Amino acid sequence: MGTWRWSGSVLMKGKKVAMKEQQKEATDGLRRQIDENLRRVFQAQVEEDVPDRFTDLINRLRQQDTEGDSSK
């Protein structure tokens, strides 16, 4: 059996189990924060209106497509 020893503020036995758990918790917290920020940014993009120039372009392309279909 391994011996217990005190190192800084982490009680250790064998490998640095407690330190690994702290790192995992910190990593999980960081991932959650990144996820939240990405959702916020992309949600703002989704809520933006499509610029008029794109709407006009789509309408012109649809019109050309319709005119091409009717000439066949």
Side-chain angles (χ1 to χ4, degrees), residues 3-64:
T3 58
W4 291 88
R5 58 192 160 104
W6 186 260
S7 175
S9 62
V10 179
L11 187 59
M12 304 164 86
K13 180 180 180 181
K15 294 186 179 183
K16 299 179 181 179
V17 175
M19 184 65 94
K20 284 184 180 181
E21 281 196 30
Q22 287 177 348
Q23 289 173 341
K24 183 182 180 318
E25 288 174 12
T27 301
D28 289 347
L30 200 57
R31 285 185 179 156
R32 273 193 303 274
Q33 189 176 11
I34 291 170
D35 287 347
E36 289 171 10
N37 288 334
L38 286 172
R39 280 190 188 94
R40 224 183 334 243
V41 167
F42 285 111
Q43 187 60 38
Q45 293 293 318
V46 167
E47 293 172 358
E48 280 186 20
D49 289 336
V50 175
D52 290 338
R53 62 190 173 136
F54 291 131
T55 305
D56 293 341
L57 176 61
I58 290 169
N59 289 334
R60 280 188 273 146
L61 291 170
R62 284 182 180 154
Q63 184 178 7
Q64 286 177 2

